[in-house]
Amino acid sequence: MTLGELKDEIEYLLEHEGVSENASVLLAHQPNWPFEYSINSMAAIQDDSGNQTIYMEEGSQLGYLNDQAKEAIGW
């Protein structure tokens, strides 16, 4: 996913799904044993070829991913 695609996904959720800007953003991890994690921070780097990458830092494991989230993701 590119930063632009991420932005489009967020804008769609805000404009068409009625999601609030105050909604929490969590990371769903590993479909066979699904957990949810907080996100601590984001960082941008550029490699020697000029390619840019954005990294999201995994935060704390919050617990198991709930069934509603698994279904929405398609797990």
Side-chain angles (χ1 to χ4, degrees):
M1 175 177 282
T2 66
L3 189 59
E5 290 168 336
L6 177 60
K7 180 182 172 214
D8 290 345
E9 290 281 337
I10 292 168
E11 287 175 350
Y12 180 85
L13 291 171
L14 292 169
E15 295 172 12
H16 300 284
E17 298 292 329
V19 176
S20 167
E21 287 189 10
N22 295 319
S24 296
V25 178
L26 303 177
L27 175 66
H29 183 263
Q30 209 240 54
N32 292 327
W33 198 260
F35 287 103
E36 61 184 20
Y37 292 83
S38 62
I39 298 170
N40 279 347
S41 64
M42 296 176 67
I45 64 155
Q46 184 169 321
D47 67 18
D48 295 337
S49 300
N51 299 310
Q52 295 179 318
T53 303
I54 307 297
Y55 286 92
M56 291 183 173
E57 178 191 12
E58 177 184 299
S60 301
Q61 181 181 342
L62 302 174
Y64 292 102
L65 188 63
N66 68 56
D67 290 336
Q68 188 177 7
K70 287 189 286 188
E71 184 177 321
I73 293 170
W75 291 353

